[in-house]
Amino acid sequence: MTEVAQGRTATYPDPPTAGAADPSAAHLARLVHRYGRSPFTPLETVRHELGVDRDTFARLLATVRRRPDLRAAVTAGPSGKYWAKTILPLERDGVLDAVLDRKVVYPHIIALYPGPTCMFRCHFCVRVTGARYQQSALADGNAMFASVIDEVPPDNPFAMYISGGLEPLTNPGLGELVSRAAGRGFKLVLYSNSFALTEQTLSRQPGLWDLHGLRTSLYGLTDAEYEETTGKRAAFGRVKTNLLRFQRLRAERDRPVRLGFSYLVLPGRAGRLRHLVDFIAELNDAAPHQPVDFLDLREDYSGRPDGKLSAAERAELQDALGDFAERVAERAPTLRVDYGYALQSLKDGAESELIRVDPAGMRPTAHIQAGVQIDVLGDVYLYREAGFPGLPGAQRYIAGRVGPDKSLLEVVGEYVRGGAGVAAVPGDEYFMDGFDQVLTARLRQLEADIAAGWGDFRGFLR
């Protein structure tokens, strides 16, 4: 299978066929094509598209199930990142079954939001300007976080990460929490803007060296770009200084903390990607034996109701991604780049778009078994972008509160058994990040398949 888009060609493996005259081979090829591009399509929809009866369709699905080559062709398609990065790992770990069966289990992923405030005011962030948690709440909040760390079973070392919400490094007890988690075998990744990642912070909070990884969100590559995005003057220079020092200290101490970045390609800045590689190469030069480990590259789809780029933007970004990949190979060859759901297919020359779930498509009971977010107060949020203080409407998505007399598992149990759910209203979709969107779309698909009598084959690939 070959797609041509904006001058670049992407080739994906064709499924083996039994000859052009074999209708089942043609049907299998259409199934692979459909689910390689639209992984969240209900089975009954595709059965009608093929025009086959239920028995024939069941035989086709059974063939896909036992043919690794067909599965590989699907996951190699333009939307293969959805399958490989999220859907199939969650299926393998039984997470989606737990949601559908309404089981009371520990959430698969637990995000700790310990930051009481943030020094930035990014234009794409949903945070209410000036909203923060009181410093007086931190002692009880950190005790609560410690209880969660002690409670979660250690069988999955990546069950927790630290993010926000607000900036985690504004919590002076963060290092102690990191050490506590590391002592139980958890490999925590800290999501930070690194503005407060000073040598003084590292000295006061030595537990930060027990992190598994530090992922810094970059908001530009100059002070002017940072100020335009975050409202903070001279911010990039400070972040860069902090990271260069962190690189040197990481090498001097021989600490295995993984260092990486999250970079959002804002409108009009696709051409800056080559300078992003130069910035990473400069950090590598500061510690040649411990280069930067990873980069998560994403496109800003905010402000685009249909979730699509214009033709001109798509062409510009596709060319920039090609140049970027070549420059990475030249200047930062050990860097692992994750292009996310949409940028990977765009880079490869295929058409793809991000999943966009509107309020009508949101599940009233969400997916607490898959993931939760816990803030300083102990409030357990159902969606990743809801955990901000004072955010209008976000309190409706609080499942309960962890405290001295209530564990996280008890919060999950009460919520699951209660079954009340939340009736979504316009604007609630912005409480979901990309992970929440994918989960919701997948669960809706599975529910449709089960309702249509396709429970044994639900979701196409398992």
Side-chain angles (χ1 to χ4, degrees), residues 54-55 82 93 108 136 198 203 243 251 254 292 304 324 363 371 377 380 394-395 414 433 454:
R54 291 182 67 90
D55 288 342
Y82 286 113
D93 293 339
H108 186 63
S136 58
T198 62
S203 177
L243 290 168
D254 193 25
V292 174
R304 298 179 174 91
F324 168 79
R363 302 177 71 254
L377 302 179
V380 179
Q395 286 193 333
E414 290 181 3
D433 74 346
W454 295 109

mmCIF file of all heavy atoms in Angstrom, residues 54-55 82 93 108 136 198 203 243 251 254 292 304 324 363 371 377 380 394-395 414 433 454:
data_model
loop_
_atom_site.group_PDB
_atom_site.id
_atom_site.type_symbol
_atom_site.label_atom_id
_atom_site.label_comp_id
_atom_site.label_asym_id
_atom_site.label_seq_id
_atom_site.Cartn_x
_atom_site.Cartn_y
_atom_site.Cartn_z
ATOM 1 N N ARG A 54 -23.159 -11.941 8.655
ATOM 2 C CA ARG A 54 -22.444 -12.035 9.933
ATOM 3 C C ARG A 54 -21.501 -13.243 9.966
ATOM 4 O O ARG A 54 -20.387 -13.138 10.492
ATOM 5 C CB ARG A 54 -23.448 -12.101 11.096
ATOM 6 C CG ARG A 54 -24.211 -10.787 11.306
ATOM 7 C CD ARG A 54 -25.149 -10.899 12.516
ATOM 8 N NE ARG A 54 -24.400 -11.036 13.765
ATOM 9 C CZ ARG A 54 -23.999 -10.011 14.521
ATOM 10 N NH1 ARG A 54 -24.266 -8.766 14.150
ATOM 11 N NH2 ARG A 54 -23.342 -10.217 15.645
ATOM 12 N N ASP A 55 -21.916 -14.365 9.416
ATOM 13 C CA ASP A 55 -21.054 -15.548 9.435
ATOM 14 C C ASP A 55 -19.773 -15.311 8.630
ATOM 15 O O ASP A 55 -18.671 -15.673 9.060
ATOM 16 C CB ASP A 55 -21.796 -16.763 8.877
ATOM 17 C CG ASP A 55 -22.861 -17.281 9.831
ATOM 18 O OD1 ASP A 55 -22.794 -16.925 11.025
ATOM 19 O OD2 ASP A 55 -23.745 -18.033 9.381
ATOM 20 N N TYR A 82 -1.683 4.704 17.247
ATOM 21 C CA TYR A 82 -2.797 4.466 18.172
ATOM 22 C C TYR A 82 -2.779 3.019 18.663
ATOM 23 O O TYR A 82 -2.967 2.753 19.850
ATOM 24 C CB TYR A 82 -4.129 4.754 17.483
ATOM 25 C CG TYR A 82 -4.429 6.217 17.276
ATOM 26 C CD1 TYR A 82 -4.487 6.760 15.997
ATOM 27 C CD2 TYR A 82 -4.672 7.055 18.354
ATOM 28 C CE1 TYR A 82 -4.785 8.102 15.797
ATOM 29 C CE2 TYR A 82 -4.966 8.392 18.165
ATOM 30 C CZ TYR A 82 -5.020 8.911 16.881
ATOM 31 O OH TYR A 82 -5.299 10.237 16.690
ATOM 32 N N ASP A 93 -2.681 -5.433 29.113
ATOM 33 C CA ASP A 93 -2.671 -5.327 30.575
ATOM 34 C C ASP A 93 -4.060 -5.468 31.199
ATOM 35 O O ASP A 93 -4.196 -5.353 32.421
ATOM 36 C CB ASP A 93 -2.062 -3.991 30.990
ATOM 37 C CG ASP A 93 -0.579 -3.899 30.643
ATOM 38 O OD1 ASP A 93 0.043 -4.956 30.458
ATOM 39 O OD2 ASP A 93 -0.051 -2.775 30.548
ATOM 40 N N HIS A 108 -4.527 2.132 36.453
ATOM 41 C CA HIS A 108 -3.336 1.673 35.746
ATOM 42 C C HIS A 108 -2.223 2.722 35.787
ATOM 43 O O HIS A 108 -1.052 2.386 35.942
ATOM 44 C CB HIS A 108 -3.705 1.354 34.302
ATOM 45 C CG HIS A 108 -2.611 0.742 33.501
ATOM 46 N ND1 HIS A 108 -2.050 -0.476 33.792
ATOM 47 C CD2 HIS A 108 -1.955 1.201 32.380
ATOM 48 C CE1 HIS A 108 -1.117 -0.767 32.902
ATOM 49 N NE2 HIS A 108 -1.023 0.242 32.051
ATOM 50 N N SER A 136 -0.240 26.532 53.074
ATOM 51 C CA SER A 136 -0.626 25.819 54.301
ATOM 52 C C SER A 136 -1.174 24.429 54.013
ATOM 53 O O SER A 136 -1.271 23.596 54.918
ATOM 54 C CB SER A 136 -1.683 26.634 55.063
ATOM 55 O OG SER A 136 -2.828 26.859 54.252
ATOM 56 N N THR A 198 17.023 24.754 39.530
ATOM 57 C CA THR A 198 18.296 25.408 39.780
ATOM 58 C C THR A 198 19.206 24.497 40.589
ATOM 59 O O THR A 198 18.768 23.491 41.160
ATOM 60 C CB THR A 198 18.076 26.715 40.546
ATOM 61 O OG1 THR A 198 17.483 26.405 41.819
ATOM 62 C CG2 THR A 198 17.149 27.654 39.775
ATOM 63 N N SER A 203 20.200 21.021 45.338
ATOM 64 C CA SER A 203 20.916 20.870 46.605
ATOM 65 C C SER A 203 19.954 20.697 47.766
ATOM 66 O O SER A 203 20.183 19.874 48.664
ATOM 67 C CB SER A 203 21.812 22.088 46.832
ATOM 68 O OG SER A 203 22.476 22.010 48.080
ATOM 69 N N LEU A 243 19.315 23.621 32.548
ATOM 70 C CA LEU A 243 19.482 22.322 31.901
ATOM 71 C C LEU A 243 20.947 22.013 31.601
ATOM 72 O O LEU A 243 21.384 20.866 31.717
ATOM 73 C CB LEU A 243 18.644 22.276 30.623
ATOM 74 C CG LEU A 243 17.124 22.236 30.857
ATOM 75 C CD1 LEU A 243 16.372 22.495 29.564
ATOM 76 C CD2 LEU A 243 16.703 20.902 31.464
ATOM 77 N N ALA A 251 26.271 14.114 34.771
ATOM 78 C CA ALA A 251 27.466 13.392 34.359
ATOM 79 C C ALA A 251 28.456 13.257 35.508
ATOM 80 O O ALA A 251 29.039 12.185 35.721
ATOM 81 C CB ALA A 251 28.119 14.117 33.187
ATOM 82 N N ASP A 254 27.226 10.769 37.856
ATOM 83 C CA ASP A 254 26.945 9.496 37.195
ATOM 84 C C ASP A 254 25.560 8.978 37.589
ATOM 85 O O ASP A 254 25.391 7.798 37.928
ATOM 86 C CB ASP A 254 28.028 8.464 37.539
ATOM 87 C CG ASP A 254 27.958 7.232 36.635
ATOM 88 O OD1 ASP A 254 27.454 7.362 35.510
ATOM 89 O OD2 ASP A 254 28.377 6.154 37.074
ATOM 90 N N VAL A 292 21.191 13.768 25.696
ATOM 91 C CA VAL A 292 19.747 13.827 25.913
ATOM 92 C C VAL A 292 19.113 12.546 25.395
ATOM 93 O O VAL A 292 19.457 12.055 24.309
ATOM 94 C CB VAL A 292 19.151 15.063 25.206
ATOM 95 C CG1 VAL A 292 17.622 15.054 25.291
ATOM 96 C CG2 VAL A 292 19.711 16.350 25.815
ATOM 97 N N ARG A 304 -8.530 24.610 16.471
ATOM 98 C CA ARG A 304 -8.961 24.012 15.213
ATOM 99 C C ARG A 304 -10.114 23.060 15.517
ATOM 100 O O ARG A 304 -9.899 21.901 15.851
ATOM 101 C CB ARG A 304 -7.808 23.256 14.555
ATOM 102 C CG ARG A 304 -6.617 24.131 14.183
ATOM 103 C CD ARG A 304 -5.522 23.282 13.550
ATOM 104 N NE ARG A 304 -4.422 24.087 13.052
ATOM 105 C CZ ARG A 304 -3.351 24.394 13.762
ATOM 106 N NH1 ARG A 304 -3.256 23.960 15.009
ATOM 107 N NH2 ARG A 304 -2.392 25.131 13.248
ATOM 108 N N PHE A 324 13.991 18.062 9.866
ATOM 109 C CA PHE A 324 14.287 17.810 11.275
ATOM 110 C C PHE A 324 14.890 16.411 11.463
ATOM 111 O O PHE A 324 15.903 16.245 12.149
ATOM 112 C CB PHE A 324 12.999 17.951 12.087
ATOM 113 C CG PHE A 324 13.079 17.443 13.496
ATOM 114 C CD1 PHE A 324 13.681 18.191 14.494
ATOM 115 C CD2 PHE A 324 12.533 16.212 13.826
ATOM 116 C CE1 PHE A 324 13.755 17.716 15.795
ATOM 117 C CE2 PHE A 324 12.589 15.733 15.120
ATOM 118 C CZ PHE A 324 13.210 16.488 16.102
ATOM 119 N N ARG A 363 -17.921 9.462 27.835
ATOM 120 C CA ARG A 363 -18.571 8.431 28.628
ATOM 121 C C ARG A 363 -18.893 8.997 30.012
ATOM 122 O O ARG A 363 -17.989 9.502 30.705
ATOM 123 C CB ARG A 363 -17.673 7.201 28.767
ATOM 124 C CG ARG A 363 -17.278 6.583 27.446
ATOM 125 C CD ARG A 363 -16.334 5.402 27.627
ATOM 126 N NE ARG A 363 -17.016 4.242 28.206
ATOM 127 C CZ ARG A 363 -16.883 3.817 29.447
ATOM 128 N NH1 ARG A 363 -16.079 4.466 30.282
ATOM 129 N NH2 ARG A 363 -17.536 2.764 29.884
ATOM 130 N N GLY A 371 -6.824 5.473 34.556
ATOM 131 C CA GLY A 371 -5.953 6.537 35.016
ATOM 132 C C GLY A 371 -6.674 7.575 35.837
ATOM 133 O O GLY A 371 -7.853 7.853 35.599
ATOM 134 N N LEU A 377 -4.864 18.626 47.339
ATOM 135 C CA LEU A 377 -5.942 18.439 48.313
ATOM 136 C C LEU A 377 -6.371 16.987 48.448
ATOM 137 O O LEU A 377 -7.181 16.654 49.311
ATOM 138 C CB LEU A 377 -7.152 19.298 47.929
ATOM 139 C CG LEU A 377 -6.896 20.808 47.813
ATOM 140 C CD1 LEU A 377 -8.175 21.525 47.396
ATOM 141 C CD2 LEU A 377 -6.367 21.368 49.125
ATOM 142 N N VAL A 380 -9.343 13.399 43.476
ATOM 143 C CA VAL A 380 -9.023 12.447 42.422
ATOM 144 C C VAL A 380 -9.814 12.818 41.173
ATOM 145 O O VAL A 380 -11.037 12.678 41.134
ATOM 146 C CB VAL A 380 -9.352 11.007 42.863
ATOM 147 C CG1 VAL A 380 -9.043 10.015 41.741
ATOM 148 C CG2 VAL A 380 -8.579 10.649 44.129
ATOM 149 N N ALA A 394 -14.690 21.803 36.490
ATOM 150 C CA ALA A 394 -13.800 20.667 36.712
ATOM 151 C C ALA A 394 -14.185 19.860 37.944
ATOM 152 O O ALA A 394 -13.934 18.651 37.996
ATOM 153 C CB ALA A 394 -12.353 21.149 36.840
ATOM 154 N N GLN A 395 -14.787 20.485 38.942
ATOM 155 C CA GLN A 395 -15.154 19.754 40.161
ATOM 156 C C GLN A 395 -16.133 18.631 39.895
ATOM 157 O O GLN A 395 -16.193 17.660 40.658
ATOM 158 C CB GLN A 395 -15.713 20.710 41.203
ATOM 159 C CG GLN A 395 -14.653 21.581 41.861
ATOM 160 C CD GLN A 395 -15.175 22.274 43.088
ATOM 161 O OE1 GLN A 395 -16.366 22.537 43.214
ATOM 162 N NE2 GLN A 395 -14.283 22.572 44.023
ATOM 163 N N GLU A 414 -15.795 3.343 45.684
ATOM 164 C CA GLU A 414 -17.033 4.107 45.867
ATOM 165 C C GLU A 414 -17.517 4.685 44.541
ATOM 166 O O GLU A 414 -18.724 4.694 44.264
ATOM 167 C CB GLU A 414 -16.807 5.215 46.889
ATOM 168 C CG GLU A 414 -16.634 4.712 48.318
ATOM 169 C CD GLU A 414 -16.434 5.842 49.310
ATOM 170 O OE1 GLU A 414 -16.492 7.037 48.886
ATOM 171 O OE2 GLU A 414 -16.216 5.559 50.502
ATOM 172 N N ASP A 433 -7.038 15.118 27.696
ATOM 173 C CA ASP A 433 -5.862 15.256 26.844
ATOM 174 C C ASP A 433 -5.901 14.163 25.779
ATOM 175 O O ASP A 433 -6.908 13.451 25.640
ATOM 176 C CB ASP A 433 -4.577 15.221 27.676
ATOM 177 C CG ASP A 433 -4.221 13.824 28.180
ATOM 178 O OD1 ASP A 433 -5.081 12.916 28.116
ATOM 179 O OD2 ASP A 433 -3.092 13.640 28.650
ATOM 180 N N TRP A 454 -20.753 -8.490 18.823
ATOM 181 C CA TRP A 454 -19.399 -8.846 18.403
ATOM 182 C C TRP A 454 -18.436 -8.896 19.578
ATOM 183 O O TRP A 454 -17.235 -8.596 19.440
ATOM 184 C CB TRP A 454 -18.886 -7.864 17.351
ATOM 185 C CG TRP A 454 -19.655 -7.907 16.069
ATOM 186 C CD1 TRP A 454 -20.507 -6.982 15.586
ATOM 187 C CD2 TRP A 454 -19.647 -8.979 15.120
ATOM 188 N NE1 TRP A 454 -21.039 -7.383 14.389
ATOM 189 C CE2 TRP A 454 -20.531 -8.614 14.076
ATOM 190 C CE3 TRP A 454 -18.993 -10.215 15.054
ATOM 191 C CZ2 TRP A 454 -20.771 -9.437 12.982
ATOM 192 C CZ3 TRP A 454 -19.229 -11.036 13.957
ATOM 193 C CH2 TRP A 454 -20.105 -10.647 12.934
#
